[in-house]
PDB file of all heavy atoms in Angstrom:
ATOM      1  N   SER R   1      -4.937  -8.564   3.110  1.00 96.00           N
ATOM      2  CA  SER R   1      -5.188  -7.427   3.859  1.00 96.00           C
ATOM      3  C   SER R   1      -6.191  -6.471   3.198  1.00 96.00           C
ATOM      4  O   SER R   1      -7.140  -5.731   3.862  1.00 96.00           O
ATOM      5  CB  SER R   1      -4.030  -6.785   4.511  1.00 96.00           C
ATOM      6  OG  SER R   1      -3.512  -5.909   3.388  1.00 96.00           O
ATOM      7  N   ILE R   2      -5.999  -6.292   1.926  1.00 95.00           N
ATOM      8  CA  ILE R   2      -6.875  -5.289   1.191  1.00 95.00           C
ATOM      9  C   ILE R   2      -8.365  -5.949   1.118  1.00 95.00           C
ATOM     10  O   ILE R   2      -9.265  -5.352   1.288  1.00 95.00           O
ATOM     11  CB  ILE R   2      -6.362  -5.056  -0.161  1.00 95.00           C
ATOM     12  CG1 ILE R   2      -4.965  -4.318  -0.170  1.00 95.00           C
ATOM     13  CG2 ILE R   2      -7.511  -4.423  -1.063  1.00 95.00           C
ATOM     14  CD1 ILE R   2      -4.370  -4.288  -1.627  1.00 95.00           C
ATOM     15  N   GLY R   3      -8.405  -7.253   1.089  1.00 97.00           N
ATOM     16  CA  GLY R   3      -9.750  -7.944   1.055  1.00 97.00           C
ATOM     17  C   GLY R   3     -10.368  -7.850   2.363  1.00 97.00           C
ATOM     18  O   GLY R   3     -11.622  -7.589   2.467  1.00 97.00           O
ATOM     19  N   PHE R   4      -9.626  -7.978   3.498  1.00 98.00           N
ATOM     20  CA  PHE R   4     -10.289  -7.756   4.809  1.00 98.00           C
ATOM     21  C   PHE R   4     -10.681  -6.438   5.002  1.00 98.00           C
ATOM     22  O   PHE R   4     -11.727  -6.066   5.512  1.00 98.00           O
ATOM     23  CB  PHE R   4      -9.228  -8.020   5.945  1.00 98.00           C
ATOM     24  CG  PHE R   4      -9.045  -9.437   6.242  1.00 98.00           C
ATOM     25  CD1 PHE R   4      -7.905 -10.172   6.034  1.00 98.00           C
ATOM     26  CD2 PHE R   4     -10.122 -10.207   6.671  1.00 98.00           C
ATOM     27  CE1 PHE R   4      -7.711 -11.500   6.510  1.00 98.00           C
ATOM     28  CE2 PHE R   4      -9.954 -11.496   7.194  1.00 98.00           C
ATOM     29  CZ  PHE R   4      -8.818 -12.170   6.885  1.00 98.00           C
ATOM     30  N   LEU R   5      -9.888  -5.361   4.453  1.00 97.00           N
ATOM     31  CA  LEU R   5     -10.380  -3.924   4.547  1.00 97.00           C
ATOM     32  C   LEU R   5     -11.625  -3.704   3.770  1.00 97.00           C
ATOM     33  O   LEU R   5     -12.506  -2.906   4.226  1.00 97.00           O
ATOM     34  CB  LEU R   5      -9.150  -3.069   3.988  1.00 97.00           C
ATOM     35  CG  LEU R   5      -9.436  -1.550   3.807  1.00 97.00           C
ATOM     36  CD1 LEU R   5      -9.849  -0.918   5.187  1.00 97.00           C
ATOM     37  CD2 LEU R   5      -8.418  -0.826   3.223  1.00 97.00           C
ATOM     38  N   SER R   6     -11.756  -4.234   2.616  1.00 96.00           N
ATOM     39  CA  SER R   6     -12.844  -3.955   1.756  1.00 96.00           C
ATOM     40  C   SER R   6     -14.088  -4.595   2.402  1.00 96.00           C
ATOM     41  O   SER R   6     -15.132  -3.934   2.407  1.00 96.00           O
ATOM     42  CB  SER R   6     -12.651  -4.771   0.503  1.00 96.00           C
ATOM     43  OG  SER R   6     -13.860  -4.687  -0.479  1.00 96.00           O
ATOM     44  N   LYS R   7     -13.986  -5.764   3.023  1.00 97.00           N
ATOM     45  CA  LYS R   7     -15.086  -6.371   3.697  1.00 97.00           C
ATOM     46  C   LYS R   7     -15.528  -5.507   4.858  1.00 97.00           C
ATOM     47  O   LYS R   7     -16.648  -5.337   5.230  1.00 97.00           O
ATOM     48  CB  LYS R   7     -14.693  -7.835   4.170  1.00 97.00           C
ATOM     49  CG  LYS R   7     -14.648  -8.874   3.143  1.00 97.00           C
ATOM     50  CD  LYS R   7     -13.858 -10.235   3.786  1.00 97.00           C
ATOM     51  CE  LYS R   7     -14.014 -11.343   2.845  1.00 97.00           C
ATOM     52  NZ  LYS R   7     -15.259 -12.017   2.859  1.00 97.00           N
ATOM     53  N   ALA R   8     -14.573  -5.230   5.700  1.00 97.00           N
ATOM     54  CA  ALA R   8     -14.816  -4.452   6.882  1.00 97.00           C
ATOM     55  C   ALA R   8     -15.511  -3.058   6.662  1.00 97.00           C
ATOM     56  O   ALA R   8     -16.470  -2.587   7.311  1.00 97.00           O
ATOM     57  CB  ALA R   8     -13.556  -4.054   7.748  1.00 97.00           C
ATOM     58  N   LEU R   9     -15.077  -2.335   5.593  1.00 97.00           N
ATOM     59  CA  LEU R   9     -15.646  -1.152   5.180  1.00 97.00           C
ATOM     60  C   LEU R   9     -17.185  -1.378   4.694  1.00 97.00           C
ATOM     61  O   LEU R   9     -17.998  -0.558   5.106  1.00 97.00           O
ATOM     62  CB  LEU R   9     -14.882  -0.500   3.995  1.00 97.00           C
ATOM     63  CG  LEU R   9     -13.436   0.148   4.440  1.00 97.00           C
ATOM     64  CD1 LEU R   9     -12.725   0.611   3.170  1.00 97.00           C
ATOM     65  CD2 LEU R   9     -13.554   1.199   5.410  1.00 97.00           C
ATOM     66  N   ARG R  10     -17.352  -2.333   3.981  1.00 96.00           N
ATOM     67  CA  ARG R  10     -18.807  -2.574   3.405  1.00 96.00           C
ATOM     68  C   ARG R  10     -19.670  -2.913   4.497  1.00 96.00           C
ATOM     69  O   ARG R  10     -20.905  -2.573   4.655  1.00 96.00           O
ATOM     70  CB  ARG R  10     -18.737  -3.731   2.458  1.00 96.00           C
ATOM     71  CG  ARG R  10     -20.074  -3.944   1.756  1.00 96.00           C
ATOM     72  CD  ARG R  10     -19.959  -4.904   0.572  1.00 96.00           C
ATOM     73  NE  ARG R  10     -19.527  -6.198   0.981  1.00 96.00           N
ATOM     74  CZ  ARG R  10     -18.323  -6.752   0.632  1.00 96.00           C
ATOM     75  NH1 ARG R  10     -17.500  -6.020  -0.018  1.00 96.00           N
ATOM     76  NH2 ARG R  10     -18.084  -8.017   1.123  1.00 96.00           N
ATOM     77  N   SER R  11     -19.235  -3.679   5.670  1.00 96.00           N
ATOM     78  CA  SER R  11     -20.044  -3.922   6.731  1.00 96.00           C
ATOM     79  C   SER R  11     -20.354  -2.635   7.497  1.00 96.00           C
ATOM     80  O   SER R  11     -21.503  -2.676   8.328  1.00 96.00           O
ATOM     81  CB  SER R  11     -19.250  -4.969   7.674  1.00 96.00           C
ATOM     82  OG  SER R  11     -18.162  -4.370   8.436  1.00 96.00           O
ATOM     83  N   ARG R  12     -19.688  -1.658   7.410  1.00 95.00           N
ATOM     84  CA  ARG R  12     -20.082  -0.376   8.054  1.00 95.00           C
ATOM     85  C   ARG R  12     -20.583   0.654   7.083  1.00 95.00           C
ATOM     86  O   ARG R  12     -20.602   1.876   7.411  1.00 95.00           O
ATOM     87  CB  ARG R  12     -18.685   0.199   8.595  1.00 95.00           C
ATOM     88  CG  ARG R  12     -18.235  -0.518   9.896  1.00 95.00           C
ATOM     89  CD  ARG R  12     -16.766  -0.123  10.170  1.00 95.00           C
ATOM     90  NE  ARG R  12     -16.320  -0.796  11.469  1.00 95.00           N
ATOM     91  CZ  ARG R  12     -16.020  -2.027  11.672  1.00 95.00           C
ATOM     92  NH1 ARG R  12     -16.127  -2.914  10.734  1.00 95.00           N
ATOM     93  NH2 ARG R  12     -15.605  -2.446  12.775  1.00 95.00           N
ATOM     94  N   GLN R  13     -21.050   0.213   5.941  1.00 95.00           N
ATOM     95  CA  GLN R  13     -21.619   1.122   4.894  1.00 95.00           C
ATOM     96  C   GLN R  13     -20.688   2.213   4.481  1.00 95.00           C
ATOM     97  O   GLN R  13     -20.960   3.359   4.162  1.00 95.00           O
ATOM     98  CB  GLN R  13     -22.896   1.780   5.417  1.00 95.00           C
ATOM     99  CG  GLN R  13     -24.078   0.894   5.612  1.00 95.00           C
ATOM    100  CD  GLN R  13     -24.000  -0.037   6.796  1.00 95.00           C
ATOM    101  OE1 GLN R  13     -23.881   0.539   7.852  1.00 95.00           O
ATOM    102  NE2 GLN R  13     -24.134  -1.358   6.612  1.00 95.00           N
ATOM    103  N   ARG R  14     -19.414   1.760   4.438  1.00 94.00           N
ATOM    104  CA  ARG R  14     -18.358   2.638   3.851  1.00 94.00           C
ATOM    105  C   ARG R  14     -17.663   1.999   2.580  1.00 94.00           C
ATOM    106  O   ARG R  14     -17.867   0.832   2.443  1.00 94.00           O
ATOM    107  CB  ARG R  14     -17.209   2.817   4.992  1.00 94.00           C
ATOM    108  CG  ARG R  14     -17.650   3.734   6.172  1.00 94.00           C
ATOM    109  CD  ARG R  14     -16.467   3.641   7.242  1.00 94.00           C
ATOM    110  NE  ARG R  14     -16.846   4.439   8.390  1.00 94.00           N
ATOM    111  CZ  ARG R  14     -16.520   5.680   8.605  1.00 94.00           C
ATOM    112  NH1 ARG R  14     -15.731   6.352   7.749  1.00 94.00           N
ATOM    113  NH2 ARG R  14     -16.918   6.213   9.747  1.00 94.00           N
ATOM    114  N   ARG R  15     -17.237   2.790   1.811  1.00 90.00           N
ATOM    115  CA  ARG R  15     -16.667   2.304   0.494  1.00 90.00           C
ATOM    116  C   ARG R  15     -15.180   2.310   0.501  1.00 90.00           C
ATOM    117  O   ARG R  15     -14.470   3.299   0.818  1.00 90.00           O
ATOM    118  CB  ARG R  15     -17.304   3.203  -0.622  1.00 90.00           C
ATOM    119  CG  ARG R  15     -18.696   2.926  -0.890  1.00 90.00           C
ATOM    120  CD  ARG R  15     -19.148   3.859  -2.076  1.00 90.00           C
ATOM    121  NE  ARG R  15     -18.422   3.629  -3.208  1.00 90.00           N
ATOM    122  CZ  ARG R  15     -18.436   4.613  -4.225  1.00 90.00           C
ATOM    123  NH1 ARG R  15     -19.168   5.530  -4.333  1.00 90.00           N
ATOM    124  NH2 ARG R  15     -17.626   4.277  -5.256  1.00 90.00           N
ATOM    125  N   PHE R  16     -14.662   1.041  -0.112  1.00 92.00           N
ATOM    126  CA  PHE R  16     -13.308   0.996  -0.454  1.00 92.00           C
ATOM    127  C   PHE R  16     -13.066   1.800  -1.705  1.00 92.00           C
ATOM    128  O   PHE R  16     -13.801   1.903  -2.527  1.00 92.00           O
ATOM    129  CB  PHE R  16     -12.935  -0.404  -0.678  1.00 92.00           C
ATOM    130  CG  PHE R  16     -11.596  -0.673  -1.195  1.00 92.00           C
ATOM    131  CD1 PHE R  16     -10.434  -0.408  -0.254  1.00 92.00           C
ATOM    132  CD2 PHE R  16     -11.255  -0.948  -2.452  1.00 92.00           C
ATOM    133  CE1 PHE R  16      -9.163  -0.657  -0.641  1.00 92.00           C
ATOM    134  CE2 PHE R  16      -9.878  -1.100  -2.841  1.00 92.00           C
ATOM    135  CZ  PHE R  16      -8.936  -1.073  -1.944  1.00 92.00           C
ATOM    136  N   GLY R  17     -11.965   2.560  -1.653  1.00 91.00           N
ATOM    137  CA  GLY R  17     -11.550   3.362  -2.782  1.00 91.00           C
ATOM    138  C   GLY R  17     -10.135   3.744  -2.775  1.00 91.00           C
ATOM    139  O   GLY R  17      -9.271   3.217  -2.078  1.00 91.00           O
ATOM    140  N   LYS R  18      -9.800   4.597  -3.715  1.00 92.00           N
ATOM    141  CA  LYS R  18      -8.391   5.103  -3.834  1.00 92.00           C
ATOM    142  C   LYS R  18      -7.905   5.863  -2.422  1.00 92.00           C
ATOM    143  O   LYS R  18      -8.749   6.383  -1.769  1.00 92.00           O
ATOM    144  CB  LYS R  18      -8.214   6.049  -5.011  1.00 92.00           C
ATOM    145  CG  LYS R  18      -8.446   5.299  -6.333  1.00 92.00           C
ATOM    146  CD  LYS R  18      -7.647   5.966  -7.474  1.00 92.00           C
ATOM    147  CE  LYS R  18      -7.722   5.040  -8.722  1.00 92.00           C
ATOM    148  NZ  LYS R  18      -6.700   5.436  -9.681  1.00 92.00           N
ATOM    149  N   PHE R  19      -6.637   5.776  -2.255  1.00 93.00           N
ATOM    150  CA  PHE R  19      -5.960   6.367  -1.045  1.00 93.00           C
ATOM    151  C   PHE R  19      -4.790   6.942  -1.521  1.00 93.00           C
ATOM    152  O   PHE R  19      -4.151   6.737  -2.425  1.00 93.00           O
ATOM    153  CB  PHE R  19      -6.000   5.427  -0.001  1.00 93.00           C
ATOM    154  CG  PHE R  19      -5.012   4.290  -0.098  1.00 93.00           C
ATOM    155  CD1 PHE R  19      -3.714   4.456   0.388  1.00 93.00           C
ATOM    156  CD2 PHE R  19      -5.304   3.011  -0.566  1.00 93.00           C
ATOM    157  CE1 PHE R  19      -2.789   3.434   0.382  1.00 93.00           C
ATOM    158  CE2 PHE R  19      -4.468   2.090  -0.686  1.00 93.00           C
ATOM    159  CZ  PHE R  19      -3.139   2.215  -0.264  1.00 93.00           C
ATOM    160  N   VAL R  20      -4.314   7.870  -0.552  1.00 95.00           N
ATOM    161  CA  VAL R  20      -3.054   8.576  -0.780  1.00 95.00           C
ATOM    162  C   VAL R  20      -1.972   8.015   0.199  1.00 95.00           C
ATOM    163  O   VAL R  20      -2.229   7.704   1.324  1.00 95.00           O
ATOM    164  CB  VAL R  20      -3.219  10.060  -0.608  1.00 95.00           C
ATOM    165  CG1 VAL R  20      -3.510  10.367   0.912  1.00 95.00           C
ATOM    166  CG2 VAL R  20      -1.905  10.829  -0.959  1.00 95.00           C
ATOM    167  N   ALA R  21      -0.854   7.709  -0.401  1.00 90.00           N
ATOM    168  CA  ALA R  21       0.251   7.174   0.307  1.00 90.00           C
ATOM    169  C   ALA R  21       1.527   7.942  -0.142  1.00 90.00           C
ATOM    170  O   ALA R  21       1.706   8.330  -1.231  1.00 90.00           O
ATOM    171  CB  ALA R  21       0.534   5.759   0.219  1.00 90.00           C
ATOM    172  N   THR R  22       2.557   8.102   0.768  1.00 93.00           N
ATOM    173  CA  THR R  22       3.638   9.042   0.432  1.00 93.00           C
ATOM    174  C   THR R  22       5.029   8.386   0.697  1.00 93.00           C
ATOM    175  O   THR R  22       5.999   9.129   0.738  1.00 93.00           O
ATOM    176  CB  THR R  22       3.615  10.256   1.498  1.00 93.00           C
ATOM    177  OG1 THR R  22       3.704   9.801   2.780  1.00 93.00           O
ATOM    178  CG2 THR R  22       2.322  11.102   1.297  1.00 93.00           C
ATOM    179  N   ASN R  23       5.032   7.196   0.657  1.00 91.00           N
ATOM    180  CA  ASN R  23       6.230   6.230   0.838  1.00 91.00           C
ATOM    181  C   ASN R  23       7.132   6.549  -0.450  1.00 91.00           C
ATOM    182  O   ASN R  23       6.575   6.732  -1.594  1.00 91.00           O
ATOM    183  CB  ASN R  23       6.040   4.861   1.068  1.00 91.00           C
ATOM    184  CG  ASN R  23       5.692   4.528   2.344  1.00 91.00           C
ATOM    185  OD1 ASN R  23       4.957   5.268   3.048  1.00 91.00           O
ATOM    186  ND2 ASN R  23       5.881   3.199   2.750  1.00 91.00           N
ATOM    187  N   SER R  24       8.448   6.601  -0.250  1.00 90.00           N
ATOM    188  CA  SER R  24       9.317   6.823  -1.312  1.00 90.00           C
ATOM    189  C   SER R  24       9.562   5.538  -2.036  1.00 90.00           C
ATOM    190  O   SER R  24       9.741   4.468  -1.585  1.00 90.00           O
ATOM    191  CB  SER R  24      10.722   7.499  -0.811  1.00 90.00           C
ATOM    192  OG  SER R  24      11.719   7.480  -1.987  1.00 90.00           O
ATOM    193  N   THR R  25       9.805   5.656  -3.432  1.00 90.00           N
ATOM    194  CA  THR R  25      10.291   4.511  -4.335  1.00 90.00           C
ATOM    195  C   THR R  25      11.750   4.704  -4.631  1.00 90.00           C
ATOM    196  O   THR R  25      12.300   4.165  -5.529  1.00 90.00           O
ATOM    197  CB  THR R  25       9.504   4.585  -5.612  1.00 90.00           C
ATOM    198  OG1 THR R  25       9.550   5.749  -6.279  1.00 90.00           O
ATOM    199  CG2 THR R  25       7.852   4.150  -5.288  1.00 90.00           C
ATOM    200  N   TYR R  26      12.381   5.746  -3.876  1.00 84.00           N
ATOM    201  CA  TYR R  26      13.810   6.063  -4.274  1.00 84.00           C
ATOM    202  C   TYR R  26      14.693   4.943  -3.757  1.00 84.00           C
ATOM    203  O   TYR R  26      14.652   4.546  -2.514  1.00 84.00           O
ATOM    204  CB  TYR R  26      14.151   7.266  -3.607  1.00 84.00           C
ATOM    205  CG  TYR R  26      15.533   8.061  -4.018  1.00 84.00           C
ATOM    206  CD1 TYR R  26      15.576   8.644  -5.202  1.00 84.00           C
ATOM    207  CD2 TYR R  26      16.464   7.822  -3.242  1.00 84.00           C
ATOM    208  CE1 TYR R  26      16.788   9.318  -5.667  1.00 84.00           C
ATOM    209  CE2 TYR R  26      17.815   8.402  -3.503  1.00 84.00           C
ATOM    210  CZ  TYR R  26      17.910   9.048  -4.723  1.00 84.00           C
ATOM    211  OH  TYR R  26      19.141   9.641  -5.075  1.00 84.00           O
ATOM    212  N   ILE R  27      15.578   4.307  -4.542  1.00 88.00           N
ATOM    213  CA  ILE R  27      16.459   3.393  -4.206  1.00 88.00           C
ATOM    214  C   ILE R  27      17.723   4.026  -3.440  1.00 88.00           C
ATOM    215  O   ILE R  27      18.361   5.053  -3.908  1.00 88.00           O
ATOM    216  CB  ILE R  27      17.003   2.623  -5.414  1.00 88.00           C
ATOM    217  CG1 ILE R  27      15.930   1.746  -6.207  1.00 88.00           C
ATOM    218  CG2 ILE R  27      18.200   1.823  -5.092  1.00 88.00           C
ATOM    219  CD1 ILE R  27      15.486   0.606  -5.243  1.00 88.00           C
ATOM    220  N   SER R  28      18.002   3.418  -2.290  1.00 87.00           N
ATOM    221  CA  SER R  28      19.256   3.878  -1.540  1.00 87.00           C
ATOM    222  C   SER R  28      20.483   3.772  -2.149  1.00 87.00           C
ATOM    223  O   SER R  28      21.510   4.658  -1.964  1.00 87.00           O
ATOM    224  CB  SER R  28      19.112   3.259  -0.077  1.00 87.00           C
ATOM    225  OG  SER R  28      17.857   3.518   0.591  1.00 87.00           O
ATOM    226  N   GLY R  29      20.685   2.630  -2.901  1.00 91.00           N
ATOM    227  CA  GLY R  29      22.068   2.439  -3.529  1.00 91.00           C
ATOM    228  C   GLY R  29      22.050   1.078  -4.200  1.00 91.00           C
ATOM    229  O   GLY R  29      21.043   0.375  -4.304  1.00 91.00           O
ATOM    230  N   GLN R  30      23.184   0.701  -4.483  1.00 94.00           N
ATOM    231  CA  GLN R  30      23.467  -0.600  -5.201  1.00 94.00           C
ATOM    232  C   GLN R  30      24.724  -1.311  -4.682  1.00 94.00           C
ATOM    233  O   GLN R  30      25.712  -0.625  -4.390  1.00 94.00           O
ATOM    234  CB  GLN R  30      23.633  -0.393  -6.705  1.00 94.00           C
ATOM    235  CG  GLN R  30      23.406  -1.651  -7.550  1.00 94.00           C
ATOM    236  CD  GLN R  30      23.352  -1.169  -9.083  1.00 94.00           C
ATOM    237  OE1 GLN R  30      24.289  -0.854  -9.600  1.00 94.00           O
ATOM    238  NE2 GLN R  30      22.093  -1.210  -9.694  1.00 94.00           N
ATOM    239  N   THR R  31      24.724  -2.570  -4.585  1.00 95.00           N
ATOM    240  CA  THR R  31      25.851  -3.301  -3.947  1.00 95.00           C
ATOM    241  C   THR R  31      26.890  -3.424  -5.070  1.00 95.00           C
ATOM    242  O   THR R  31      26.545  -3.203  -6.283  1.00 95.00           O
ATOM    243  CB  THR R  31      25.525  -4.718  -3.456  1.00 95.00           C
ATOM    244  OG1 THR R  31      25.104  -5.501  -4.617  1.00 95.00           O
ATOM    245  CG2 THR R  31      24.304  -4.726  -2.538  1.00 95.00           C
ATOM    246  N   SER R  32      28.103  -3.873  -4.729  1.00 95.00           N
ATOM    247  CA  SER R  32      29.117  -4.074  -5.671  1.00 95.00           C
ATOM    248  C   SER R  32      28.809  -5.190  -6.805  1.00 95.00           C
ATOM    249  O   SER R  32      29.389  -5.095  -7.819  1.00 95.00           O
ATOM    250  CB  SER R  32      30.490  -4.493  -4.995  1.00 95.00           C
ATOM    251  OG  SER R  32      30.250  -5.766  -4.188  1.00 95.00           O
ATOM    252  N   GLY R  33      27.831  -5.978  -6.385  1.00 95.00           N
ATOM    253  CA  GLY R  33      27.363  -6.989  -7.345  1.00 95.00           C
ATOM    254  C   GLY R  33      26.188  -6.393  -8.225  1.00 95.00           C
ATOM    255  O   GLY R  33      25.597  -7.393  -8.881  1.00 95.00           O
ATOM    256  N   GLY R  34      25.930  -5.334  -8.019  1.00 96.00           N
ATOM    257  CA  GLY R  34      24.828  -4.746  -8.821  1.00 96.00           C
ATOM    258  C   GLY R  34      23.435  -4.987  -8.367  1.00 96.00           C
ATOM    259  O   GLY R  34      22.343  -4.755  -9.209  1.00 96.00           O
ATOM    260  N   ILE R  35      23.173  -5.272  -7.128  1.00 96.00           N
ATOM    261  CA  ILE R  35      21.824  -5.410  -6.560  1.00 96.00           C
ATOM    262  C   ILE R  35      21.289  -4.156  -5.796  1.00 96.00           C
ATOM    263  O   ILE R  35      22.154  -3.609  -4.907  1.00 96.00           O
ATOM    264  CB  ILE R  35      21.913  -6.614  -5.559  1.00 96.00           C
ATOM    265  CG1 ILE R  35      22.390  -7.880  -6.174  1.00 96.00           C
ATOM    266  CG2 ILE R  35      20.485  -6.911  -4.980  1.00 96.00           C
ATOM    267  CD1 ILE R  35      22.599  -9.119  -5.268  1.00 96.00           C
ATOM    268  N   ASP R  36      20.242  -3.691  -6.176  1.00 95.00           N
ATOM    269  CA  ASP R  36      19.609  -2.491  -5.472  1.00 95.00           C
ATOM    270  C   ASP R  36      19.273  -2.769  -4.057  1.00 95.00           C
ATOM    271  O   ASP R  36      18.901  -4.011  -3.774  1.00 95.00           O
ATOM    272  CB  ASP R  36      18.333  -2.103  -6.294  1.00 95.00           C
ATOM    273  CG  ASP R  36      18.524  -1.628  -7.699  1.00 95.00           C
ATOM    274  OD1 ASP R  36      19.681  -1.121  -7.953  1.00 95.00           O
ATOM    275  OD2 ASP R  36      17.527  -1.686  -8.494  1.00 95.00           O
ATOM    276  N   TYR R  37      19.358  -1.695  -3.101  1.00 94.00           N
ATOM    277  CA  TYR R  37      18.962  -1.935  -1.911  1.00 94.00           C
ATOM    278  C   TYR R  37      18.146  -0.550  -1.370  1.00 94.00           C
ATOM    279  O   TYR R  37      18.481   0.370  -2.002  1.00 94.00           O
ATOM    280  CB  TYR R  37      20.152  -2.327  -0.888  1.00 94.00           C
ATOM    281  CG  TYR R  37      21.235  -1.220  -0.878  1.00 94.00           C
ATOM    282  CD1 TYR R  37      21.120  -0.122   0.109  1.00 94.00           C
ATOM    283  CD2 TYR R  37      22.207  -1.361  -1.630  1.00 94.00           C
ATOM    284  CE1 TYR R  37      22.062   0.858   0.123  1.00 94.00           C
ATOM    285  CE2 TYR R  37      23.308  -0.441  -1.479  1.00 94.00           C
ATOM    286  CZ  TYR R  37      23.234   0.705  -0.689  1.00 94.00           C
ATOM    287  OH  TYR R  37      24.212   1.692  -0.513  1.00 94.00           O
ATOM    288  N   GLY R  38      17.315  -0.829  -0.490  1.00 91.00           N
ATOM    289  CA  GLY R  38      16.546   0.337   0.165  1.00 91.00           C
ATOM    290  C   GLY R  38      15.494  -0.188   0.969  1.00 91.00           C
ATOM    291  O   GLY R  38      15.715  -1.373   1.439  1.00 91.00           O
TER     292      GLY R  38
END
């Protein structure tokens, strides 16, 4: 999908570059077996 984005931007004389995203990397919890979930 990043490759498709890069191609599409170039075809419109726009440049692919850094972007801002605000999703959390915070883990919601851990199971009784020690597996992270979120």
Side-chain angles (χ1 to χ4, degrees):
S1 77
I2 294 174
F4 278 118
L5 173 61
S6 179
K7 286 169 174 280
L9 290 173
R10 189 169 60 251
S11 72
R12 289 165 171 75
Q13 289 75 53
R14 294 174 180 261
R15 286 179 53 194
F16 175 73
K18 293 209 170 193
F19 69 92
V20 63
T22 58
N23 284 26
S24 172
T25 59
Y26 190 81
I27 291 293
S28 301
Q30 200 172 71
T31 70
S32 60
I35 303 171
D36 291 338
Y37 63 85

